[in-house]
Amino acid sequence: MTMLKAIKNWIEVRIGLDELVRDQLTEYRIPRNINLFYSLGTVAIAAFSIQVLTGIVLLVYYVPHPDHAFKSVQGIMMDVPYGWLFRQVHAVGSNLLVIVVALHMLSVFFMKSYAKPREMTWLVGFAMLLLTLTFCLSGYLLPWSQLSYWATTIVTNMPTAFPYIGDYLTEFQRGSSQVSGATLGRFFALHVMLLPALLVMLLGIHLFLIRRIGISRPPFGPGGQERVEWTQFHHESYPDGMPFYPHYIAKEVFMIMVYLSAMFFIIAFLPTLFSPADANIPADPFKTPAHIKPEWYFLAPYQMLRVIPSKFLGITLQMIAITVLFFWPFLDRKEERNILKRPVLLGGFIGALLVWIGLTIWGNF
């Protein structure tokens, strides 16, 4: 104990550890009407951390070459001690990460937490959502199975809808005219080098903005309708709020446990939910599987391109939708934060969500 106390005192003298804990945890106040949806950001960070840790383990044994990629993945599953568990956690976790990040963005939209002065927080968060989808796309090809090969072929073929530059964009993604070893090399480099660095950078900016500006008060419940004039910068504080630690941290830990429970439930009882039969067959560029389709999070845009006769019109509508969502904080100038009091916006929100779910289900058949 004397040694530990000496180490603590050494750190305390240099960085003021006790003051840091007080300012950032025990005496840091958040709104009393805060809800569990606010913890989805922390769940997403925990999920991403799990992906990094399991990905490092898989990286030790994975061989990014068309002749060896599939065999190396099968070797991880069959020969490496607990390799099957690490791979399942990574595969299931990638799908759950998309769900968590999407739910986080939906909850931010629903509670209008993107409003002034948090426009930059929304922009960075939306960029992180797009980056997460790119992460999943690049990692999906790496097992080099029939499923991953042809699903990647479909997704990377979408830019061909653009006139003049479509073919160039597709070939730039793939490194050749079709999905090949060059594509595998590019996607591997993206997945393990460029994308992690970009996501960590954006995550750092995102957390800085949240702590610098302060957590937004939910528009529902006591104090939800209070309006603050933002004519100059100030940290939004809640002197009458509840302590961040231990009250809110307990909620975050609970939600992380829910996430882990869902993950291990799928691994234990639904192991093939995200790994159908074609995921266990090596890639064959000369044999197209029946009913091939992209991964579920790309089914809606894929089905939209199938429904609309003009591929260019379909991809243009999707780009417009993404652009509108990205810049939504600057387009929504209404002062009312409670979406339940804005029937037009609420109807559009629910309608868009139902269309997306409907297209996803439709595209699965």
Side-chain angles (χ1 to χ4, degrees):
M1 291 297 294
T2 305
M3 177 63 73
L4 292 176
K5 187 176 181 180
I7 293 174
K8 181 181 179 300
N9 289 337
W10 188 88
I11 297 174
E12 172 64 29
V13 170
R14 284 155 180 80
I15 65 172
L17 184 61
D18 290 339
E19 181 185 356
L20 185 66
V21 170
R22 284 196 306 271
D23 291 345
Q24 301 299 322
L25 293 175
T26 58
E27 294 183 4
Y28 183 75
R29 303 284 169 167
I30 58 176
R32 288 192 175 277
N33 63 331
I34 201 166
N35 54 59
L36 285 176
F37 287 102
Y38 277 71
S39 65
L40 289 174
T42 302
V43 176
I45 294 174
F48 175 67
S49 301
I50 292 172
Q51 293 303 104
V52 171
L53 293 175
T54 54
I56 291 173
V57 174
L58 298 177
L59 187 60
V60 173
Y61 300 97
Y62 177 73
V63 182
H65 189 281
D67 296 336
H68 307 289
F70 181 80
K71 291 180 181 179
S72 67
V73 172
Q74 294 301 304
I76 291 171
M77 294 289 290
M78 304 297 293
D79 302 326
V80 177
Y82 299 103
W84 65 271
L85 180 60
F86 283 102
R87 203 225 161 180
Q88 281 288 79
V89 168
H90 197 75
V92 173
S94 65
N95 289 272
L96 294 183
L97 178 59
V98 173
I99 295 174
V100 171
V101 175
L103 286 176
H104 180 52
M105 294 300 294
L106 287 173
S107 68
V108 170
F109 186 94
F110 192 82
M111 291 182 282
K112 201 180 178 181
S113 296
Y114 55 78
K116 184 180 178 180
R118 297 179 175 86
E119 299 95 335
M120 287 191 295
T121 311
W122 169 268
L123 295 178
V124 176
F126 197 88
M128 291 172 65
L129 171 61
L130 298 180
L131 209 58
T132 300
L133 292 173
T134 308
F135 239 124
C136 292
L137 173 63
S138 61
Y140 200 66
L141 177 65
L142 301 188
W144 203 247
S145 63
Q146 275 288 75
L147 178 67
S148 63
Y149 180 91
W150 289 102
T152 304
T153 298
I154 291 174
V155 176
T156 55
N157 196 52
M158 287 183 178
T160 57
F162 289 108
Y164 306 114
I165 63 171
D167 292 336
Y168 171 78
L169 290 175
T170 298
E171 188 168 337
F172 177 77
Q173 291 179 92
R174 296 174 176 174
S176 61
S177 58
Q178 63 181 21
V179 176
S180 62
T183 317
L184 181 63
R186 291 189 176 199
F187 277 36
F188 177 75
L190 275 175
H191 196 71
V192 303
M193 295 180 64
L194 181 60
L195 294 179
L198 286 176
L199 193 58
V200 169
M201 180 187 69
L202 290 178
L203 179 60
I205 297 173
H206 195 66
L207 293 176
F208 167 77
L209 291 171
I210 292 172
R211 295 308 291 254
R212 179 63 175 165
I213 300 170
I215 297 175
S216 64
R217 187 191 296 271
F220 318 109
Q225 297 305 309
E226 291 183 7
R227 290 184 173 88
V228 179
E229 291 294 331
W230 288 88
T231 56
Q232 61 181 3
F233 172 78
H234 66 272
H235 178 82
E236 190 168 8
S237 58
Y238 307 94
D240 61 337
M242 65 177 180
F244 185 76
Y245 175 87
H247 298 78
Y248 188 64
I249 285 186
K251 291 184 178 182
E252 292 181 320
V253 171
F254 169 76
M255 290 299 290
I256 292 173
M257 291 300 106
V258 171
Y259 172 84
L260 293 175
S261 298
M263 173 190 288
F264 285 106
F265 178 86
I266 294 172
I267 292 173
F269 299 104
L270 301 168
T272 61
L273 180 63
F274 301 116
S275 301
D278 286 332
N280 296 310
I281 301 173
D284 185 352
F286 303 103
K287 184 179 180 181
T288 306
H291 310 297
I292 194 65
K293 53 184 179 291
E295 189 62 344
W296 65 268
Y297 35 81
F298 289 121
L299 281 176
Y302 167 68
Q303 184 61 25
M304 186 176 177
L305 291 179
R306 294 175 62 188
V307 171
I308 297 176
S310 170
K311 288 179 64 178
F312 175 68
L313 177 60
I315 199 75
T316 301
L317 290 175
Q318 292 178 26
M319 296 301 295
I320 291 174
I322 292 173
T323 304
V324 168
L325 282 174
F326 185 73
F327 291 107
W328 184 252
F330 305 99
L331 302 175
D332 181 15
R333 310 312 300 173
K334 297 284 186 179
E335 290 188 4
E336 178 61 60
R337 290 189 60 216
N338 191 341
I339 195 173
L340 300 179
K341 296 181 179 180
R342 300 177 61 183
V344 175
L345 180 60
L346 179 61
F349 177 82
I350 295 174
L353 195 57
L354 290 176
V355 168
W356 185 271
I357 294 173
L359 286 172
T360 299
I361 296 173
W362 191 4
N364 198 44
F365 295 100

